[in-house]
Amino acid sequence: MVSYKRLTPEEVNFAGAALLDPDETTDTDLKEVNPELPLLPQSRRCSITVALLTLGGLIVVLFGIWLLGTIFWLHTPPSTKPHRPPPPAVAKSPNGTWLQPESCSQIPEAWRFDCYPERGVVVTEEMCHARNCCFIQSSQTKTSGRNGVPWCFYTPDYPSYELVSITDTEMGKVGKLLRNKKTYYPKDIDALQVEVLYEEDNRLRVKITDPAEKRYEVPIDVPVVQKKASNPSYTVDFIKEPFGLIVKRTQTGTVLLNTSIAPLFYADQFLQMSTSLPSRFIYGLGEHRSNFLHDVQWNTLTMWARDVPPMELTNLYGVHPFYLSMESDGMAYGFFMLNSNAMDVALQPAPAITWRMIGGILDFYIFLGPDPSSVIAQYLDVVGKPAMPIFWALGYHLCRWGYKSSDKTWNVVKEMRNNGIPQDVQWNDIDYMDHALDFTYDTVNFSGLPELVKDLHRHDQHYVMILDPGISNSQLPGSYWPFDEGMKRGIFINDSNGDVLIGKVWPGLTAFPDFSNPDTHEWWYQNLKRFHEKVPFDGVWIDMNEPSNFFDGSLNGCPDNELENPPYTPGILGGTLKAKTVCASARQKISTHYNIHSLYGLMEAKATESALRKITDKRPFVISRSTFPSQGKYSGHWLGDNRSQWKDLATSIPGMLTFNILGIPLIGADICGFGGSTTEELCVRWTQLGAFYPFSRNHNSIDEQDQEPTAFSPAARTAMKEAILLRYSLFPHLYTLFHHAHISGRTVATPLLFQFPNDEKTYGIDKQFLWGKSLLVTPVLEEGRDYVVGYFPEGLWYDFHTGDSLVSSGEEISLQAPKDKINLHLREGSVIPTQRPNTTLWVSSGQPLNLIVSLSEDGLAKGDLFWDDGETLDTYEKDQYAYIYFTVQQNTMTSEVLHNHEEATYITVETVSFYGVKTEPENVTVNSQEAAFTYHNNQVLTVRDLGLNLSHNFTISWM
């Protein structure tokens, strides 16, 4: 066996796509033999005859022993036990204990890759050696458990695959891999094919598959590229044995992928691949509650969609096997593992990452950026860019579980109107339903629901209802159309015997629609259409779609087979794949649930989005709890059943930022908290932060105290109202940010590191964030504080409210934060369109614009505005929009209409404020005509009463 050399990035020096063997090593310690000395030490002489007789007798005895052993072996029946590797090739000490290679102790703890990753097992030395692995008890951990230095880890020469051939193809290269020694997991796939596809200059794809048998692959649309990249920004190198793949950035030589650091596994139900990371700065890998910057100190993240209130170190509602990583020079790259099976993703401080999946194939992409924003855009080129939301989706939403009647719901809406607090959308949770049955409403307690929805529409407001996927099977035959019709069409998930699988959710015993079946989409549409004729809802909230089940598996349990009990089970909450969901062995149209469980929410969102397009003929509004890559094309997301605690307020920011880099920018948390009762101070601070969630909804649980803004003291109510009005005033800017997300894959809520990738101080910041590139939000996240400390990257910043300037060298600054204020700052060089706010976005969107210009030190600024009717499908694609670009240079602002549309003719620009005008002007001209202006000592120049039509170019100059 060739030495299994562990390469650090600095040691990798390969060129082109050469097929390389590891360096052969020789023993340089062998001494030269002196021919004049005897080969053995001198001993007392004896006769030659005695010596020959002794030697001959020994040979006869040894031959007899060998012959008897051979006869016995030939007559022994073959073992029926699963194949296991031979015992470790190590010696034993005189007392029989294992002696492992000295090379084991030479592996640094940070570079020890876990050979026994099973959960709930205390690994002994004997268990470890049975896998041919090193065993050393770490000084840093008391037990060989989760999230610590592994006691059992791979030897330097652990067997893996050999690359036996490699050839060029039209798209890159294809190679053949062979495994010569079995692993400790059953059903090894001994022969593999590796395809390396040079898809784009900044995008590489690698697929490792079984050429002999088709395996499950994730059924989402990805680009099919026909032409090889002409000038790739990466090189790909191979190590022959053990097989390794090295990907480097051409410009800098930085190693982005190095799979030679640990053995590759590819069994039927266990796939494992490790790679080094260029730094410890890694983001993404949703859905988990954590900091935005992941901890690489032995941190294992499990992915398998699960209904559980957000908590640390737990697999949550969605699955997103994508990460973004920063390099040492401020460049960034991304990695996407296209796999939907249950998996563990293990981070360790080398730094390195290990992927362990229990099915599918190895199919992954590398995106080379080189900046963080470009990485996300390249990722979304593969999975799909987010949809452009309908305008009212960006307003303020109110919801709770437990209004208990349409009258109570209606009274909340009326109170909001009476207090002049903006609200665009009213929601209901499951208590609006008749006994929690989908597509029904309680005709006693919610008898006024149809009239409530009509009243909302008369006031330019909208209505969203919840739906759960579980369909009751316990109603009288012929009395519940959704189940009866579903049975006729055969659209429900079946158990392994082919019978409809029965679980339990809110209405009691239920069947689960199989959204992988196109027939289910038609059935779903018809159910929505029938209900829309009774209650003309505007959007749909799809919940419990992991799918959640109050049983583990089904009413009748699950079979005891390899799908329910795979050889390796990732660290799933509950310990089994069936925990609080349906059986892994359940049958769906395109595959077993084992393979497509984590796609359930995505498939339901696709069905719901498609149905709403047909029903409303407007942009669909869908919010989903469970998500998967490409979800942003069909729905938004909220961060789940949080609690009314300050900790939950703070953790909502990393959650929001993570989903923005995962391509789901329509994201927010339940404002003021869902579980438990809030406090007035917490709800005020949460409303201030929530005003800057891309999706802003106050949601409350049953039997908790009221938490809509009108439920609090006049001072708190006013503070909340001002925060929501501030959001509405920024609608033109927010809407434009969503346009860029839709067409270019940009983030809406943006991490600071995206705009300041060369400032390492921004890499861990998740208590502040930007809207787009320019608007910095610094909320209060702790109880009893009237100030907040925020980090300001180097440059010139302006207070959004006053225009006061702040010059930072890249430092933390303490800011005053009374209870009625959230700190906002504008980055130099930007133009932000705002609007006079009103109580609904329909009214606000017709109001005059106010432009805020934050000049750079040399007097430059730029910004833009996207404008359309806010609800028509595909306006950008159909050229039914206006796009205006603003620039400022040499004391002149220019508004240039790059694409015009009728909608722009209805809007005027009323005011422009310039922050950072160093000297008071003598005059100001608008389209060459003198205009009145004001100038303040804080260097703010304001020009009012302009009345400039947005659809026409204009200039404003000062001297």
Side-chain angles (χ1 to χ4, degrees), residues 7 67 118 133 335 403 447 504 583 619 623 707 735 818 848:
L7 301 176
L67 182 61
E118 284 81 357
C133 289
F335 183 100
Y403 284 128
S447 59
K504 182 180 181 181
C583 299
R619 297 176 205 165
I623 293 293
Q707 64 183 38
Y735 194 65

Side-chain angles (χ1 to χ4, degrees), residues 562-796:
E562 61 186 9
L563 293 181
E564 300 295 340
N565 303 295
Y568 176 81
T569 300
I572 295 163
L573 180 65
T576 63
L577 299 179
K578 66 184 178 184
K580 295 298 176 279
T581 189
V582 304
C583 299
S585 58
R587 299 178 185 176
Q588 296 189 238
K589 178 73 173 180
I590 64 172
S591 189
T592 59
H593 194 74
Y594 180 91
N595 288 324
I596 63 175
H597 164 82
S598 294
L599 294 171
Y600 195 88
L602 170 64
M603 291 176 172
E604 185 189 17
K606 290 177 70 173
T608 308
E609 191 266 358
S610 174
L612 287 179
R613 277 179 173 257
K614 297 176 186 176
I615 292 168
T616 68
D617 196 31
K618 296 176 182 177
R619 297 176 205 165
F621 176 79
V622 183
I623 293 293
S624 175
R625 190 167 75 178
S626 187
T627 60
F628 192 81
S630 78
Q631 188 94 21
K633 296 194 294 182
Y634 311 104
S635 82
H637 175 59
W638 93 106
L639 293 172
D641 295 338
N642 61 6
R643 297 191 61 78
S644 298
Q645 299 175 350
W646 288 92
K647 175 184 177 182
D648 291 62
L649 168 66
T651 58
S652 70
I653 299 178
M656 172 184 65
L657 295 177
T658 294
F659 272 93
N660 267 265
I661 73 171
L662 296 176
I664 309 176
L666 190 63
I667 176 71
D670 286 343
I671 294 170
C672 301
F674 175 72
S677 288
T678 191
T679 65
E680 182 168 283
E681 181 188 2
L682 175 60
C683 202
V684 168
R685 292 305 193 190
W686 212 324
T687 302
Q688 291 169 344
L689 171 59
F692 291 90
Y693 292 157
F695 165 56
S696 183
R697 182 186 70 162
N698 179 321
H699 182 38
N700 194 4
S701 187
I702 194 168
D703 295 331
E704 304 292 354
Q705 74 175 52
D706 293 347
Q707 64 183 38
E708 55 271 5
T710 56
F712 297 97
S713 69
R717 189 185 314 151
T718 298
M720 295 183 194
K721 176 180 177 179
E722 290 302 315
I724 300 169
L725 284 168
L726 177 59
R727 175 187 181 86
Y728 276 51
S729 73
L730 285 162
F731 170 73
H733 180 52
L734 180 60
Y735 194 65
T736 301
L737 294 178
F738 269 98
H739 164 69
H740 289 303
H742 173 57
I743 66 166
S744 302
R746 296 184 193 171
T747 52
V748 174
T750 304
L752 268 71
L753 73 91
F754 273 48
Q755 292 302 309
F756 302 94
N758 293 312
D759 182 355
E760 193 171 307
K761 294 178 183 177
T762 65
Y763 288 11
I765 291 178
D766 56 13
K767 301 292 188 290
Q768 298 168 273
F769 58 96
L770 295 158
W771 262 15
K773 300 179 179 180
S774 305
L775 186 62
L776 178 62
V777 183
T778 308
V780 172
L781 302 174
E782 297 178 78
E783 186 175 10
R785 295 294 179 90
D786 60 1
Y787 70 95
V788 62
V789 176
Y791 179 76
F792 287 79
E794 183 178 0
L796 180 59

Side-chain angles (χ1 to χ4, degrees), residues 909-922:
V909 176
E910 192 72 15
T911 304
V912 180
S913 296
F914 298 90
Y915 295 173
V917 177
K918 295 179 180 179
T919 58
E920 181 174 359
E922 295 182 3

Side-chain angles (χ1 to χ4, degrees), residues 231-261:
N231 187 29
S233 58
Y234 46 84
T235 61
V236 182
D237 306 310
F238 302 87
I239 295 176
K240 180 182 177 182
E241 185 180 4
F243 169 69
L245 189 65
I246 313 293
V247 178
K248 295 187 292 184
R249 187 183 295 279
T250 304
Q251 180 181 348
T252 61
T254 301
V255 175
L256 307 180
L257 184 82
N258 176 5
T259 68
S260 71
I261 59 174

Side-chain angles (χ1 to χ4, degrees), residues 15-331:
L19 182 63
L20 302 178
D21 286 301
D23 293 339
E24 296 290 337
T25 58
T26 59
D27 189 348
T28 58
D29 294 329
L30 292 177
K31 296 180 180 178
E32 184 177 356
V33 177
N34 187 337
E36 297 180 357
L37 296 177
L39 296 177
L40 296 173
Q42 294 286 336
S43 61
R44 186 170 54 89
R45 294 179 182 272
C46 60
S47 71
I48 296 175
T49 302
V50 172
L52 289 174
L53 287 173
T54 302
L55 181 60
L58 181 61
I59 292 172
V60 170
V61 171
L62 291 174
F63 178 80
I65 294 172
W66 173 83
L67 182 61
L68 287 173
T70 302
I71 294 170
F72 178 79
W73 176 75
L74 289 172
H75 285 80
T76 302
S79 174
T80 58
K81 295 180 180 180
H83 179 84
R84 288 290 182 265
V90 293
K92 289 186 178 181
S93 66
N95 63 7
T97 59
W98 291 107
L99 294 176
Q100 58 192 6
E102 290 185 6
S103 57
C104 289
S105 61
Q106 295 171 4
I107 300 174
E109 287 189 345
W111 287 93
R112 294 177 182 175
F113 290 85
D114 199 347
C115 179
Y116 221 114
E118 284 81 357
R119 306 298 178 95
V121 178
V122 177
V123 182
T124 65
E125 187 171 6
E126 291 74 20
M127 293 166 63
C128 181
H129 285 154
R131 293 188 171 186
N132 287 355
C133 289
C134 303
F135 185 85
I136 299 177
Q137 294 187 15
S138 169
S139 60
Q140 296 182 11
T141 52
K142 295 181 180 180
T143 63
S144 56
R146 181 182 183 184
N147 291 358
V149 180
W151 291 8
C152 182
F153 53 96
Y154 296 111
T155 60
D157 58 351
Y158 201 88
S160 184
Y161 286 87
E162 177 187 358
L163 180 63
V164 296
S165 68
I166 186 86
T167 57
D168 291 330
T169 66
E170 290 185 0
M171 285 299 300
K173 295 185 180 294
V174 62
K176 181 178 181 180
L177 306 179
L178 289 181
R179 173 179 282 282
N180 296 318
K181 291 189 178 181
K182 293 292 183 182
T183 69
Y184 45 84
Y185 288 112
K187 300 182 182 179
D188 279 310
I189 300 173
D190 295 329
L192 299 174
Q193 176 176 283
V194 55
E195 287 183 271
V196 180
L197 306 172
Y198 296 69
E199 292 196 340
E200 300 285 349
D201 288 347
N202 288 306
R203 185 176 84 219
L204 175 72
R205 184 181 188 184
V206 178
K207 293 184 71 174
I208 303 178
T209 57
D210 180 357
E213 185 174 344
K214 176 70 174 176
R215 292 175 60 81
Y216 163 76
E217 298 185 28
V218 181
I220 66 171
D221 294 330
V222 296
V224 178
V225 181
Q226 304 294 340
K227 186 178 179 181
K228 181 179 177 181
S230 59
N231 187 29
S233 58
Y234 46 84
T235 61
V236 182
D237 306 310
F238 302 87
I239 295 176
K240 180 182 177 182
E241 185 180 4
F243 169 69
L245 189 65
I246 313 293
V247 178
K248 295 187 292 184
R249 187 183 295 279
T250 304
Q251 180 181 348
T252 61
T254 301
V255 175
L256 307 180
L257 184 82
N258 176 5
T259 68
S260 71
I261 59 174
L264 171 67
F265 282 68
Y266 208 120
D268 183 45
Q269 290 181 276
F270 186 81
L271 289 74
Q272 178 173 281
M273 184 186 80
S274 301
T275 176
S276 60
L277 297 169
S279 79
R280 64 180 180 86
F281 301 109
I282 183 171
Y283 313 84
L285 298 173
E287 181 175 8
H288 299 91
R289 172 176 281 202
S290 68
N291 294 331
F292 179 55
L293 171 63
H294 283 298
D295 183 5
V296 297
Q297 296 297 317
W298 307 108
N299 180 17
T300 298
L301 303 169
T302 299
M303 297 192 189
W304 179 252
R306 179 61 151 83
D307 172 6
V308 58
M311 60 182 72
E312 288 77 6
L313 300 176
T314 303
N315 53 301
L316 300 182
Y317 311 108
V319 166
H320 293 270
F322 166 84
Y323 68 78
L324 176 141
S325 178
M326 297 300 295
E327 301 162 38
S328 60
D329 52 9
M331 290 187 177

Side-chain angles (χ1 to χ4, degrees), residues 411-605:
N411 286 337
V412 168
V413 174
K414 291 175 181 177
E415 281 295 303
M416 292 287 285
R417 292 174 188 163
N418 292 340
N419 283 273
I421 303 174
Q423 182 192 359
D424 262 82
V425 193
Q426 180 61 51
W427 298 43
N428 277 124
D429 208 316
I430 58 172
D431 47 315
Y432 82 88
M433 298 178 184
D434 181 11
H435 295 91
L437 297 172
D438 276 353
F439 309 111
T440 69
Y441 70 95
D442 181 345
T443 56
V444 177
N445 295 312
F446 281 83
S447 59
L449 184 58
E451 285 303 314
L452 164 61
V453 175
K454 291 177 184 177
D455 179 71
L456 288 169
H457 292 166
R458 284 193 295 269
H459 287 83
D460 304 315
Q461 294 172 300
H462 301 85
Y463 180 72
V464 171
M465 64 177 189
I466 193 172
L467 285 175
D468 295 334
I471 301 296
S472 172
N473 75 324
S474 305
Q475 308 308 304
L476 291 174
S479 67
Y480 187 46
W481 194 88
F483 179 74
D484 295 337
E485 188 66 18
M487 288 297 292
K488 288 180 185 177
R489 301 188 187 199
I491 55 86
F492 293 116
I493 294 176
N494 291 328
D495 62 22
S496 58
N497 295 320
D499 301 319
V500 173
L501 183 146
I502 301 301
K504 182 180 181 181
V505 203
W506 297 113
L509 298 181
T510 57
F512 296 89
D514 176 8
F515 288 104
S516 76
N517 185 347
D519 295 340
T520 308
H521 290 221
E522 178 61 25
W523 166 86
W524 190 249
Y525 157 67
Q526 291 187 12
N527 277 287
L528 284 165
K529 184 174 182 293
R530 287 162 58 94
F531 190 68
H532 190 267
E533 291 168 356
K534 301 174 184 177
V535 179
F537 57 86
D538 301 289
V540 178
W541 168 23
I542 50 177
D543 193 15
M544 306 287 286
N545 57 349
E546 291 75 29
S548 179
N549 185 1
F550 296 166
F551 293 141
D552 286 345
S554 79
L555 174 65
N556 299 318
C558 303
D560 183 8
N561 60 27
E562 61 186 9
L563 293 181
E564 300 295 340
N565 303 295
Y568 176 81
T569 300
I572 295 163
L573 180 65
T576 63
L577 299 179
K578 66 184 178 184
K580 295 298 176 279
T581 189
V582 304
C583 299
S585 58
R587 299 178 185 176
Q588 296 189 238
K589 178 73 173 180
I590 64 172
S591 189
T592 59
H593 194 74
Y594 180 91
N595 288 324
I596 63 175
H597 164 82
S598 294
L599 294 171
Y600 195 88
L602 170 64
M603 291 176 172
E604 185 189 17

